[in-house]
Amino acid sequence: MSTTQTPPVLAAELAQAWADIQRHHPELPDLAAPESLIGESSSACGHELSFERLLHEAVHGIAAARGVRDTSRAGRYHNRRFLAIAEELGLDHPEEPHPSSGFSLVTLNPEAKRRYRPTIERLQRALKAHSAATAADTARSFRGPAARHGSSGGGVRVKAVCDCGRNVRVVPSVLAQAPIVCGGCGKPFRIPEVVGAAAS
């Protein structure tokens, strides 16, 4: 029961943290579905949900707004265009790119830590509460193999669409937990039927 109560609270905190980033970077688009970030255990963009991960996602948002292609290799390799925007947002990077993920492993620089300290602390409290509630719920109920092997279901994301044509990449098990509503049209995102999909 607590997992159905906690994600909206955490989603609201994620949305607020995103709004805090937008105050410093007005060209950053709205975050359509903060819930889509909850439950992803790993990806090319970071290993766990945190403010640092959210700022990383904001880099992708600004790149999209500018029409900049900031990744390659199906979104895994983060190139120097990603890196340039990351530096604008207060993220540092290793000297050399990682062979498979490029410059994805960015970290908050000291100035960004100071600027966003209240936001970081608020989000950390929400993440701790969410983790505690999820752990308590998991101890009482069976949630299936995806939950046992990482709630991201192996990190496989699919495209979910809404009525106005916007789309997000989301782990199906996350979408199954609760509706993810589009900030543009107010309708829930859904995974479209795949023509010719195997029944097995």
Side-chain angles (χ1 to χ4, degrees), residues 58-194:
V59 174
H60 291 305
I62 288 177
R66 294 178 182 175
V68 172
R69 187 165 180 220
D70 62 340
T71 62
S72 58
R73 302 180 196 167
R76 290 187 305 275
Y77 191 87
H78 293 58
N79 60 35
R80 291 192 181 275
R81 290 182 289 275
F82 169 86
L83 181 57
I85 299 171
E87 289 173 343
E88 289 178 40
L89 269 67
L91 291 166
D92 283 337
H93 57 88
E95 289 291 321
E96 296 297 322
H98 186 275
S100 62
S101 62
F103 293 100
S104 69
L105 302 175
V106 288
T107 57
L108 283 168
N109 69 28
E111 182 184 339
K113 284 180 184 175
R114 282 192 299 273
R115 176 187 306 149
Y116 293 112
R117 176 163 300 165
T119 305
I120 293 167
E121 290 172 355
R122 199 175 58 241
L123 185 56
Q124 283 176 335
R125 284 193 298 272
L127 286 164
K128 282 182 186 174
H130 176 69
S131 294
T134 303
D137 184 63
T138 302
R140 293 195 308 272
S141 62
F142 176 76
R143 295 176 62 207
R148 292 196 306 274
H149 299 294
S151 56
S152 68
V156 177
R157 290 185 271 180
V158 298
K159 181 162 68 170
V161 298
C162 69
D163 288 350
C164 69
R166 298 175 79 191
N167 65 73
V168 293
R169 304 292 290 181
V170 62
V171 177
S173 62
V174 172
L175 192 59
Q177 291 173 11
I180 297 173
V181 180
C182 174
C185 68
K187 299 287 174 70
F189 284 92
R190 58 186 163 62
I191 298 171
E193 294 293 324
V194 178

Side-chain angles (χ1 to χ4, degrees), residues 4-22:
T4 60
Q5 297 296 327
T6 309
V9 174
L10 181 52
E13 289 296 342
L14 286 165
Q16 181 58 54
W18 192 265
D20 291 348
I21 299 168
Q22 284 178 312

